[in-house]
């Protein structure tokens, strides 16, 4: 589908498309629209997709987002998303002086949860939804964070779950980007070398080496396979 993220007329945008994707409870496609700097909803069905979008949220306190990157739904319908500047062009005006992690409630209220991360990117929830995981794609601080949430969805506390900065090398390219959480609680997080497998307590169990910079991953409905987007490749590996 094109366009998917930028609906304007300029042809010199570096990353005009959509980034993170999710389905809401009605099965509608929700997109992090880099070019439009907003969270959008495709109004057409998945069976007959069309570039017809409704903006769900595009600014915080009257200031435009940087470029929403990834998102995850809570079972209550709340939408958590990250907002680094990767989709912005040199001629874009950066209106926020931070890179935020936000929560959009079902009543349309937008809440800023975190403003202290340099490059918040991938985002996921633990199986019991008490922990919010954030991947930080900063080469100087290539980390995965875990934040405790209260019953409302506010951040109580946070910590570095795993620091992958030292794993970067010429042969293991890539930074923390997209991540997904297995029903067991194990994290499958893209990063240096491919997809890092990390226990809920932050132990690095191993890495699925893709030989490419790897942007995201996800499971099939039965968790029999892990699908990975690695550079120009779509990959799949069977899980035990």
């Amino acid at each position: 589908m094109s366009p998917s993220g930028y609906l304007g007329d300029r042809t010199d945008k570096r990353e005009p498309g959509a980034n993170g994707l999710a389905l809401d409870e009605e099965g509608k496609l929700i997109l992090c629209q880099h070019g439009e700097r907003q969270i959008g909803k495709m109004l057409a069905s998945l069976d007959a997709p069309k570039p017809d979008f409704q903006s769900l949220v595009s600014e915080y306190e009257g200031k435009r987002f940087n470029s929403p990157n990834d998102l995850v739904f809570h079972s209550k319908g709340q939408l958590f998303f990250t907002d680094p500047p990767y989709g912005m062009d040199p001629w874009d005006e950066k209106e926020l002086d931070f890179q935020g992690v936000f929560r959009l409630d079902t009543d349309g209220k937008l809440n800023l949860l975190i403003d202290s991360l340099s490059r918040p990117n991938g985002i996921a929830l633990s199986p019991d939804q008490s922990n919010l995981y954030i991947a930080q794609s900063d080469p100087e601080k290539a980390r995965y964070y875990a934040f405790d949430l209260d019953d409302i969805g506010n951040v109580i506390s946070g910590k570095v779950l795993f620091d992958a900065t030292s794993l970067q090398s010429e042969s293991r390219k890539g930074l923390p980007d997209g991540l997904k959480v297995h029903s067991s609680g194990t994290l499958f997080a893209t990063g240096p070398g491919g997809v890092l497998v990390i226990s809920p307590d932050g132990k690095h169990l191993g890495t699925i080496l893709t030989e490419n910079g790897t942007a995201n991953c996800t499971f099939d409905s039965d968790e029999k396979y892990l699908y990975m987007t690695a550079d120009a490749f779509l990959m799949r590996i069977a899980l035990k």
Side-chain angles (χ1 to χ4, degrees):
M1 180 177 61
S2 180
S4 66
Y6 176 60
L7 310 179
D9 299 324
R10 296 195 66 140
T11 59
D12 57 345
K13 290 191 68 63
R14 294 178 301 179
E15 296 188 18
N19 200 318
L21 307 171
L23 297 177
D24 67 11
E25 59 184 7
E26 297 178 349
K28 291 292 187 180
L29 183 64
I30 310 300
L31 312 90
C32 289
Q33 295 185 298
H34 258 192
E36 289 299 303
R37 297 166 67 175
Q38 68 179 16
I39 302 293
K41 176 168 70 172
M42 185 178 73
L43 298 178
S45 69
L46 293 176
D47 294 333
K50 297 178 181 179
D52 183 14
F53 306 104
Q54 171 189 347
S55 175
L56 297 184
V57 63
S58 61
E59 60 183 38
Y60 173 70
E61 294 186 343
K63 297 181 180 180
R64 293 186 70 190
F65 292 136
N66 301 312
S67 55
N69 185 283
D70 201 8
L71 70 172
V72 64
F73 272 105
H74 192 282
S75 62
K76 295 179 180 179
Q78 298 167 310
L79 182 64
F80 295 78
F81 65 94
T82 58
D83 185 40
Y86 291 126
M88 301 182 69
D89 291 282
W91 40 264
D92 277 325
E93 178 185 359
K94 193 177 190 305
E95 299 184 15
L96 295 173
D97 60 3
F98 59 87
Q99 284 63 245
V101 178
F102 297 91
R103 187 190 77 237
L104 181 64
D105 292 337
T106 55
D107 61 1
K109 181 182 179 182
L110 181 67
N111 306 270
L112 174 63
L113 300 180
I114 304 164
D115 62 3
S116 58
L117 301 182
S118 57
R119 290 293 185 270
N121 198 316
I123 188 169
L125 288 164
S126 62
D128 65 2
Q129 302 179 109
S130 66
N131 290 288
L132 181 69
Y133 298 112
I134 305 290
Q136 178 168 269
S137 51
D138 182 340
E140 302 300 321
K141 297 179 180 179
R143 298 170 173 172
Y144 307 94
Y145 291 86
F147 296 91
D148 295 323
L149 300 178
D150 63 17
D151 292 339
I152 300 174
N154 293 320
V155 170
I156 304 172
S157 61
K159 65 179 181 181
V160 176
L161 182 71
F162 182 75
D163 193 325
T165 307
S166 64
L167 299 182
Q168 300 174 83
S169 69
E170 188 63 29
S171 62
R172 295 200 176 193
K173 298 179 180 179
L175 290 167
D177 200 328
L179 71 160
K180 296 297 183 291
V181 182
H182 191 270
S183 60
S184 64
T186 302
L187 282 74
F188 286 72
T190 61
V195 178
L196 279 65
V197 184
I198 304 170
S199 69
D201 58 0
K203 182 180 180 181
H204 182 203
L205 304 175
T207 300
I208 301 169
L209 299 174
T210 65
E211 299 184 0
N212 293 275
T214 306
N216 215 335
C217 60
T218 194
F219 307 103
D220 68 329
S221 59
D222 297 323
E223 296 184 334
K224 291 183 178 179
Y225 295 96
L226 179 75
Y227 291 84
M228 300 164 284
T229 52
D231 201 353
F233 301 97
L234 174 63
M235 301 179 174
R236 185 183 77 171
I237 189 170
L239 299 177
K240 293 182 179 179

